[in-house]
Amino acid sequence: MKNPIVVSVTGAAGQIGYSLLPRIASGEIFGRDQPVSLRLIEIEPGMKALAGVVMELNDCAFPLLESIEATSDLDHGFDGANWALLVGSVPRKAGMERKDLLGINGKIFVGQGQAIERSAAEDIRVLVVGNPCNTNCLIAMNNARGIPSERWHAMTRLDENRAKSALAEKAGCHNRDVTRMAIWGNHSSTLYPDFENALINGEPVEKSIPDRAWLEGDFIKNVQQRGAAIIAARGLSSAASAAHAALETVMSLRKTTPSDDWHSVAVASDGSYGVEKGLICSFPIRSNGTTSEIVQGVELSEFGKAKFQQSVNELLEEKAMVSDLLPK
Ligand code: NAX
């Protein structure tokens, strides 16, 4: 038997946690021969519900689940972690401005970044899901400068999957026929789903969908606002699809990306495509299993560049709003 991989999950008693944890414990993410130790982190008011989640995980009798720790202590929760999935955050409430939300969640990610740096394993890799995920990730990374910046990620895979599904539906093809679907920018209503570089059955999207007005209009708008549509229909935000996207993000980062494809993740910019160095921005990414890189040389049209810039500008604004949480 291999040594267990240690996976810490914050917000573990929440909706996404409930969908995600059984899939981690079953071996779906880290491999069917890889034991897993879970470290589940909640705030005090969530600990009772978390106890119920732990009971259910135990009741699944997963052969690969080595141990479960449930805690509200960050150093205990991130102790020895090889992967940290930062899902927990405070939702936006009525009357709350974006700046207020950034401030409240930002403080949480200061403490989590510091605890990860103190307590996690040397090879720690982090995926931030809790919103606003790009800027939360920026804050955590800047409060853990001992950890290389390429280990920090924020999730835009759900947006990629939403875009793929929308294109496949319109083209009358299967989701698997859509490749190279990159999300550029922020995980927010400014994100840019790049239909100009995506392919359907290896050909430009416009060959299957010769409807530029739809691609520039409803397609982009629907991907940007899909989260709100789900809240309107379900009365709750996306959870199963978000958990699935988190699972796929980690799996994609842990394997070699096929040479004719890429996947979307927000990573610390290295200055590519003119994006300020260190900003956590979504790009097309290729991985080799341990490290990943921003795909170079993807051509954006004037239309695509303008959309991407709008989203980058929003990221810069968010960064300015939390500047007091970023150590100089
Ligand atoms: P829930 O409200 O169901 O669960 C959140 C959990 O986090 C709660 O149990 C809460 O007690 C816990 N929590 C709050 N502050 C915490 C802290 N400081 N430490 C540990 N736990 C803490 O939300 P859920 O539906 O699970 O969504 C979680 C986050 O994912 C939200 O911020 C949501 O906006 C974000 N999402 C991000 C997506 C993405 O694509 N990046 C898509 C789905 C989702 O909207």
Side-chain angles (χ1 to χ4, degrees):
M1 264 309 221
K2 292 179 176 173
N3 286 331
I5 189 164
V6 180
V7 183
S8 299
V9 181
T10 69
Q15 287 200 88
I16 295 176
Y18 193 75
S19 286
L20 181 63
L21 295 172
R23 299 183 71 181
I24 301 175
S26 69
E28 200 178 337
I29 301 191
F30 295 100
R32 303 284 178 191
D33 61 346
Q34 175 60 65
V36 178
S37 289
L38 283 175
R39 306 189 85 88
L40 307 182
I41 303 171
E42 260 295 343
I43 45 176
E44 257 329 305
M47 288 306 286
K48 181 161 176 266
L50 183 58
V53 174
V54 171
M55 283 189 247
E56 286 207 58
L57 287 169
N58 284 330
D59 292 350
C60 292
F62 289 114
L64 288 170
L65 184 53
E66 195 69 19
S67 63
I68 312 177
E69 298 277 336
T71 182
S72 56
D73 178 87
L74 291 179
D75 284 295
H76 184 197
F78 293 119
D79 186 24
N82 306 107
W83 272 92
L85 308 182
L86 308 185
V87 180
S89 70
V90 175
R92 192 161 169 170
K93 299 194 181 83
M96 207 187 257
E97 299 285 331
R98 190 157 60 112
K99 190 177 187 337
D100 302 328
L101 185 70
L102 280 162
I104 293 169
N105 281 311
K107 289 198 188 75
I108 293 173
F109 285 82
V110 169
Q112 292 184 354
Q114 291 169 345
I116 289 171
E117 184 173 36
R118 276 194 305 268
S119 305
E122 281 207 350
D123 65 349
I124 178 72
R125 285 201 266 176
V126 183
L127 174 66
V128 180
V129 175
N131 281 322
C133 63
N134 296 54
T135 297
N136 287 341
C137 182
L138 178 83
I139 294 166
M141 179 181 81
N142 276 281
N143 283 279
R145 296 241 172 97
I147 299 174
S149 58
E150 61 266 21
R151 309 271 194 82
W152 297 85
H153 312 87
M155 188 169 93
T156 53
R157 183 60 165 263
L158 179 53
D159 308 302
E160 174 188 327
N161 289 344
R162 287 167 170 168
K164 277 185 171 168
S165 161
L167 290 180
E169 190 183 342
K170 183 79 173 175
C173 68
H174 197 276
N175 295 325
R176 65 177 166 260
D177 300 329
V178 185
T179 54
R180 296 199 177 189
M181 184 65 247
I183 301 297
W184 298 79
N186 198 2
H187 167 69
S188 77
S189 58
T190 66
L191 64 88
Y192 174 50
D194 179 8
F195 61 85
E196 293 182 316
N197 286 292
L199 301 174
I200 295 181
N201 287 315
E203 307 258 27
V205 166
E206 280 184 80
K207 213 167 163 193
S208 307
I209 308 176
D211 185 349
R212 184 84 196 177
W214 180 81
L215 289 165
E216 287 188 6
D218 282 353
F219 165 66
I220 294 181
K221 198 173 87 209
N222 290 346
V223 176
Q224 290 174 335
Q225 295 180 1
R226 184 69 163 185
I230 289 179
I231 294 173
R234 216 170 79 85
L236 289 167
S237 59
S238 332
S241 56
H244 183 71
L247 170 148
E248 285 199 312
T249 306
V250 174
M251 287 169 73
S252 292
L253 291 169
R254 284 171 43 91
K255 67 180 187 204
T256 301
T257 312
S259 58
D260 57 352
D261 205 356
W262 52 56
H263 56 103
S264 306
V265 198
V267 297
S269 171
D270 57 2
S272 294
Y273 299 96
V275 177
E276 181 182 291
K277 225 173 159 199
L279 207 61
I280 301 288
C281 180
S282 184
F283 293 101
I285 297 290
R286 282 209 185 101
S287 311
N288 68 7
T290 33
T291 58
S292 45
E293 57 180 26
I294 298 168
V295 179
Q296 298 299 314
V298 179
E299 298 239 347
L300 292 172
S301 65
E302 288 310 311
F303 174 83
K305 276 187 199 150
K307 289 278 174 201
F308 180 36
Q309 192 57 51
Q310 200 185 347
S311 201
V312 170
N313 289 346
E314 184 184 51
L315 285 171
L316 291 168
E317 275 169 33
E318 290 185 8
K319 182 182 171 193
M321 286 179 195
V322 299
S323 58
D324 55 326
L325 303 177
L326 307 175
K328 295 283 171 282

